């Protein structure tokens, strides 16, 4: 089987595409024939040795995939050979075959493509967990989404609208804001000039945003803490800017505001039943066509460097995925 391998830390150019021995499922695992694998910002950190979890070398990057079950190991429950599934293995998705514990598999709706399935679980469950459990977003509240054209940003916009919020999309270019507008944002803010605070204050009649969804960190976080409403909540989702900011305690006091962490991986382990409930609700919303995953930036498997570099170049709009098999030749 072909797989993308990380043999030492470095840039995407340091990765290699090689033929390795086929996998065999162990107890409790299913072998998935991968048709599409998605990329996420943590994947770029992991290959550079900057992520909180680092597997031993060599490892296959990739935390999400869509495909078909090819083989089943002992004691796998609820799945059969031939099932169309989404997989959330945490690592190993960028390969033609993937062994996954059955607890990390979900059957996908008939109208969901493998490409969509490959990028569905992480971004949607992150954003839904952030807005539903962590922020307790209420109808008519104002939601500000930073980095609004990225994977989690787009889903936060979409889910925020669905939950009845007034949504402000913020991004660094007009092209990204046009993309966010098509998702349904009520207002658009370009923060490339460094003046986020003033613009948000003007849009909210001086009050600030009730909930701020921040996967960027850095200078934007610093400004966000100064344009948050009374009793506001700032959601710490990630640090795509590269700088982990500090929250000044006096600002929390003056605003009656809260800084709330959003760490999907830990929540899945600590509260698995709540995670399952959220994922089931999201899949129901997809079946009802109430959420519509955006078009993906799709790359061939051997063009993985270009796919990874979209994150480095900050050109991601929606989800980025690799076509492991020829999607045009199958039911996608």
């Amino acid at each position: 089987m072909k797989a993308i391998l990380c043999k030492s830390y470095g840039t995407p150019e340091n990765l290699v595409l090689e033929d390795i021995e086929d996998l065999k499922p162990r107890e409790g695992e299913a072998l998935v024939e991968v048709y599409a694998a998605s990329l996420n910002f943590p994947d770029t950190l992991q290959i550079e040795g900057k992520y909180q979890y680092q597997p031993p070398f060599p490892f296959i990057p990739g935390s999400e995939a869509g495909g078909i079950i090819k083989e089943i190991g002992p004691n796998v429950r609820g799945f059969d050979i031939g099932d169309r599934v989404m997989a959330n293995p945490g690592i190993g998705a960028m390969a033609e075959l993937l062994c996954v514990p059955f607890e990390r598999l979900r059957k996908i709706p008939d109208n969901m493509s493998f490409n969509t399935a490959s990028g569905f679980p992480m971004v949607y469950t992150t954003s839904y967990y952030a807005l539903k459990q962590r922020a307790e977003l209420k109808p008519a509240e104002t939601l500000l989404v930073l980095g609004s054209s990225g994977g989690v940003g787009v889903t936060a916009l979409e889910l925020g609208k669905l939950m009845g919020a007034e949504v402000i999309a913020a991004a660094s270019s007009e092209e990204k804001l046009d993309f966010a507008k098509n998702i349904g944002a009520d207002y658009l803010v370009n923060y490339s000039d460094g003046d986020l605070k003033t613009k948000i204050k003007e849009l909210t009649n001086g009050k600030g945003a009730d909930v701020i969804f921040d996967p960027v960190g850095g200078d934007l976080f610093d400004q966000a803490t100064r344009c948050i409403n009374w009793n506001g909540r700032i959601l710490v989702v990630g640090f795509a800017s590269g700088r982990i900011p500090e929250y000044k305690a006096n600002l929390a006091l003056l605003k009656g505001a809260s800084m709330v962490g959003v760490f999907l991986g830990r929540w899945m382990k600590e509260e698995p039943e709540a995670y399952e409930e959220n994922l089931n609700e999201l899949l129901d919303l997809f079946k009802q066509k109430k959420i519509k995953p955006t078009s993906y930036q799709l790359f061939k498997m051997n063009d993985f460097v270009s796919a990874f570099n979209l994150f480095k170049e900050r050109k991601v709009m929606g989800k980025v995925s690799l076509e492991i098999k020829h999607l045009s030749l199958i039911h996608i």
Side-chain angles (χ1 to χ4, degrees):
M1 71 178 215
K2 292 187 181 299
I4 296 168
L5 297 175
C6 181
K7 297 183 177 182
S8 62
Y9 296 133
T11 64
E13 289 79 4
N14 194 49
L15 301 172
V16 294
L17 178 62
E18 290 186 357
D19 285 306
I20 62 172
E21 188 176 347
D22 285 356
L23 302 176
K24 293 290 291 183
R26 297 172 295 187
E27 183 169 357
E29 291 183 339
L31 181 68
V32 176
E33 187 174 23
V34 178
Y35 285 84
S38 76
L39 281 73
N40 295 285
F41 180 68
D43 297 323
T44 68
L45 298 178
Q46 198 163 54
I47 66 171
E48 294 176 355
K50 298 177 181 178
Y51 196 54
Q52 54 257 41
Y53 165 67
Q54 291 300 141
F57 295 122
F59 65 86
I60 301 169
S63 55
E64 298 179 289
I68 294 175
I69 292 179
K70 186 175 182 180
E71 190 176 340
I72 291 177
N75 297 321
V76 170
R77 300 188 300 274
F79 295 93
D80 295 307
I81 293 173
D83 283 344
R84 301 172 71 249
V85 294
M86 63 174 66
N88 184 18
I91 195 166
M94 296 180 192
E96 292 180 325
L97 296 173
L98 169 67
C99 283
V100 192
F102 74 90
E103 298 92 346
R104 286 180 168 265
L105 289 172
R106 292 295 175 277
K107 294 177 184 178
I108 61 176
D110 291 340
N111 62 332
M112 179 179 282
S113 72
F114 289 122
N115 193 23
T116 296
S118 75
F120 190 90
M122 183 172 288
V123 290
Y124 272 103
T125 56
T126 296
S127 296
Y128 197 35
Y129 166 53
L131 299 178
K132 178 184 174 184
Q133 276 91 359
R134 303 304 284 154
E136 297 182 348
L137 181 68
K138 301 174 181 64
E141 285 192 315
T142 300
L143 169 66
L144 167 61
V145 180
L146 307 181
S148 59
S149 68
V152 289
V154 165
T155 51
L157 288 177
E158 187 179 16
L159 292 170
K161 284 293 295 179
L162 195 60
M163 295 168 75
E166 189 171 62
V167 180
I168 304 171
S172 60
S173 72
E174 293 304 313
E175 182 183 15
K176 291 179 179 179
L177 289 174
D178 287 343
F179 186 79
K181 183 178 181 180
N182 290 332
I183 306 300
D186 296 295
Y187 302 100
L188 306 175
V189 170
N190 188 324
Y191 51 62
S192 60
D193 61 1
D195 190 16
L196 176 71
K197 174 188 171 182
T198 301
K199 294 174 181 178
I200 299 304
K201 287 281 192 176
E202 289 175 352
L203 277 176
T204 58
N205 296 318
K207 293 180 179 180
D210 298 300
V211 175
I212 301 176
F213 184 95
D214 180 17
V216 182
D219 295 342
L220 282 176
F221 177 91
D222 297 337
Q223 290 196 58
T225 60
R226 290 170 169 79
C227 60
I228 193 167
N229 198 5
W230 175 252
N231 283 335
R233 292 84 76 199
I234 184 164
L235 298 166
V236 180
V237 184
F239 312 106
S241 69
R243 179 173 74 84
I244 299 176
E246 296 181 357
Y247 190 21
K248 294 186 179 298
N250 65 309
L251 294 176
L253 185 150
L254 293 172
K255 300 280 189 175
S258 304
M259 180 178 70
V260 187
V262 180
F263 183 12
L264 180 70
R266 179 67 182 272
W267 180 61
M268 289 171 64
K269 294 178 180 177
E270 297 287 346
E271 302 178 50
E273 292 181 358
Y275 171 80
E276 292 295 331
E277 181 180 327
N278 274 20
L279 182 53
N280 288 335
E281 289 176 4
L282 289 165
L283 287 171
D284 285 341
L285 290 172
F286 178 86
K287 292 174 186 175
Q288 297 166 27
K289 299 183 179 181
K290 292 184 178 180
I291 56 175
K292 299 176 182 179
T294 60
S295 58
Y296 286 36
Q297 293 170 279
L298 184 64
F299 293 81
K300 299 294 184 182
M301 188 180 189
N302 60 5
D303 196 19
F304 59 86
V305 172
S306 297
F308 269 96
N309 277 335
L310 280 183
F311 293 89
K312 182 179 179 180
E313 297 162 2
R314 303 191 71 174
K315 293 181 178 179
V316 173
M317 288 191 286
K319 285 289 291 186
V320 180
S321 59
L322 295 175
E323 182 184 67
I324 307 299
K325 288 192 176 292
H326 295 294
L327 296 176
S328 62
L329 301 179
I330 57 173
H331 173 49
I332 63 171

